[in-house]
Amino acid sequence: MNAINEVNEVFKAKNIALPIESQMTVDEDNRFDKGLAVQVEIFGDVIAKMRENAPSNQKHIQEYLSAFCFGDFYTRGGLDLKTRELLTLCIISALGGAEGQVKAHVQGNKNVGNDKETLITAITHCLPYMGFPRTLNALACVNEIIPEN
């Protein structure tokens, strides 16, 4: 709440009208379908295989991922898909212990048009915040998915 209050004060000082227009583009009825469509746009056929191969007692996790992460967030206005995917890569890299997801999002970044140099530059920018071990792990994932020529 403190951060929101500070941002609101800056907006007021810059004569930016509050509340800001909603960036939401989905509702409860379509968030899953729109999220799944974005997943497929980024990752391609692997999404259908991932959903198909999920054990029945874990399929709900795939549905949550599609509806929540991709439906509620990736479909919002304000940022293009390349920027969202680059941010996701950096954030997941900073978490540590999520190398499977880091590799998937390296491929996702490649699929949406972010090149290897962009990924390395973004991860380098995050180094002071996430530390050397996580930076090196992220770079190893980048190098595995997009090898040097």
Side-chain angles (χ1 to χ4, degrees):
M1 289 304 295
N2 289 339
I4 290 172
N5 289 331
E6 290 297 319
V7 168
N8 285 345
E9 291 303 318
V10 170
F11 284 177
K12 286 178 191 173
K14 302 265 184 196
N15 294 318
I16 299 171
L18 293 174
I20 293 177
E21 183 180 339
S22 174
Q23 298 298 310
M24 187 172 69
T25 63
V26 299
D27 58 35
E28 198 59 41
D29 294 330
N30 65 14
R31 63 195 279 264
F32 171 78
D33 291 330
K34 287 189 174 190
L36 182 59
V38 171
Q39 274 185 292
V40 171
E41 180 181 351
I42 297 168
F43 300 106
D45 295 337
V46 71
I47 297 302
K49 291 176 187 161
M50 181 180 68
R51 293 178 54 75
E52 183 180 307
N53 292 331
S56 61
N57 65 349
Q58 297 171 36
K59 288 191 183 292
H60 64 286
I61 300 296
Q62 299 303 321
E63 292 175 8
Y64 293 162
L65 181 66
S66 297
F68 181 66
C69 293
F70 291 92
D72 292 346
F73 291 94
Y74 267 74
T75 61
R76 292 175 64 83
L79 295 173
D80 62 20
L81 191 56
K82 287 174 70 171
T83 303
R84 285 185 195 282
E85 191 58 19
L86 187 60
L87 286 168
T88 300
L89 173 67
C90 291
I91 293 163
I92 291 173
S93 295
L95 292 173
E99 283 72 24
Q101 290 77 25
V102 172
K103 290 175 191 177
H105 283 282
V106 168
Q107 185 63 54
N109 269 276
K110 184 178 174 190
N111 293 349
V112 299
N114 288 324
D115 63 12
K116 185 175 184 176
E117 193 59 35
T118 299
L119 304 186
I120 292 170
T121 300
I123 291 167
T124 301
H125 175 75
C126 294
L127 171 63
Y129 309 103
M130 64 188 206
F132 277 99
R134 290 179 178 167
T135 298
L136 294 172
N137 288 347
L139 291 174
C141 293
V142 169
N143 288 325
E144 181 179 327
I145 302 302
I146 310 172
E148 292 296 318
N149 295 338

